[in-house]
Amino acid sequence: MLTVVVTGTAVAGLVLAALAAQVALRRGTSMGWSLAVMLVAVAWWGVAYAVELSLGDVGLRSRWGDAKYAGVVTLAPAWLVFVLQYTGGPVRVTRRLVALLAVAPVATMLVLVLPATHDLVRFYPDDVRPGELPVVGTGPLFWVVLGYNNLLILLASGLFIARLARLARTYRRMALILLLVALLPWGANLLHNFEVGWFARIDLTPFAFILTGGVLVWGLIGNRLLDLSPVGRSAVVESMVDAVFVLDPFGRIADVNPAGVLLAGASGRLVGRTLPEALGTDDDLEDGRAVTLASGSATAGPRSFDVARQHLVDDRGRSVGELVVLRDISERIRAEGRLRDVLEDRSRVAAALQASMVPPALPQVPGHELAMRYHPAGDGGEIGGDFLDVFRLGESAWGFVLGDVSGKGAEAAAVSAAARYTLRALAAADVAPSETLREVNRHLVAQTEVERHCTLVYGQLRPDPLACGSTTLTLSLAGHPAPLLVRADGSVEEVGTGGTILGLFDDVEVHDTEVRLAPGETLVLFTDGVVEARRGSELFGVEGLAAGLRGPGSIDVEALAEAALRAVHDFHGLHLADDLAMLLLRNSGVTC
């Protein structure tokens, strides 16, 4: 009988040593090392115990029994460290904690080494005979050591149980099995130490640990739980607001988090069903697509979800299932809809304000052809400050204006409207353009609270009484680019005298310039968005516009306006950096 026990104990120690070596060789996880320490401790316990039982000399037996305690006192602290690492808390495993846990084992071994204190832990009875399995005597410190070790085991096991409730079902079952097999050798050891029946003579703890070690190594390494950290998975996945489904290789649900259960509205009836079936949809739920699903709540209504799918593979690259995450994007979809509505409203308002900057159609001016072009900056969504107008001043006189207010937005549009309609109200055929601009400036300075300036060109058009078919133009410039006069032969020249911008100073310096517009000649007014168009660091400039205006005299004014606009876009691109406005006035050459 003794031979069988010795052989079995030695085999148990060797098996546990092999398991410890397998764990130690798997690098990359701290939990693997704490498990390896546990297995080495029990392996040493088993081997030393086998040697102890095989010896006939009582003194040698006692020494090997003492050596066995190196494994006995190391096991409980190693189990606590393993549980703390595996569950992720609440105490962080540090070098200081490991050092504190090593104090009791080191002290116990010192007590056993010193002859004066040895028997305070354990001793052999004097009447032990060779070949006999004795009941080893225990001193008072033995019960301290036993209580301390069992306290650590109870603490670690209690923490393990408390954390089980936070695991997903798949890992909860695995963790429960780990706990049960971990407590099996603890029970065997208690039966031995409290001398219950046959267990009083033989310590089966190393035997029991073969099962425990095997299950721990299989569960924690074979199932990769060391790499996945179940409690971390539970804390993240179980509390996620996204619905998470784990599918088996056949597309059936194998696991689901609470958010997925809530979405499906079918607690307890999801495992084993296909995902479309569980969610009540015919949609294939393709990766990267947005889907609309009925919510599990009767009051929530349909909701929109982003679908993310990822294949799961084993360590050989074989497919073992699929992870499907449904992220609720209903609020984002609604927010995007509200933003679209706001942008559409803004575009409508911008379009309405922009339309008010120019007349819906130019009036018919006898003996003349008129054309206009207006393009807001960028994509047209931002309100600009360019404006133009043509209006009657009297029986045979017409007024025309083209201007540009600094800045963008509603404030610029308000100043533009104020300048345009104030000038319309003050303009008169018998009042020089320069005088009208001085009055407009006084009104803008008084009415405009923000610092906005306005440049414009205002002119009057009337038939020339001295030259039949010719027209007299009187121009006044307020800080605005000089208009271009396109002669009948295609040559281009600037006309007008520069002046002070409006809206900033109480007094402005403006001048009147008289220009004769012969039949076939065209006056071109434009804002700085035309000449300041850029290609890199190069400006389009007056020269670029003049080049775009040169051409055969027979070309009609609309075609000429289109040619000038095309030249600007060819130079700068489709979306301009600033608003663009042009007004073309051509003497059509009607005879008297």
Side-chain angles (χ1 to χ4, degrees), residues 245 247-248 250-254 256 260-261 263-285 293-296 309 324 326:
F245 299 86
L247 308 183
D248 65 16
F250 304 101
R252 296 186 297 264
I253 297 174
V256 57
V261 173
L263 174 61
S267 178
R269 300 195 301 273
L270 296 179
V271 174
R273 302 170 67 184
T274 64
L275 191 55
E277 179 186 4
L279 297 177
T281 179
D282 295 329
D283 197 296
D284 291 334
L285 302 177
L293 300 173
S295 172
R309 305 183 74 123
V324 182
L326 302 180

Side-chain angles (χ1 to χ4, degrees), residues 7-17 19 39 42 181 184-185 204-217:
T7 303
T9 305
V11 170
L14 294 175
V15 170
L16 290 168
L19 291 175
L39 296 175
V42 184
V181 298
L184 179 63
L204 296 180
T205 304
F207 291 101
F209 244 104
I210 293 180
L211 175 61
T212 300
V215 171
L216 286 174
V217 173

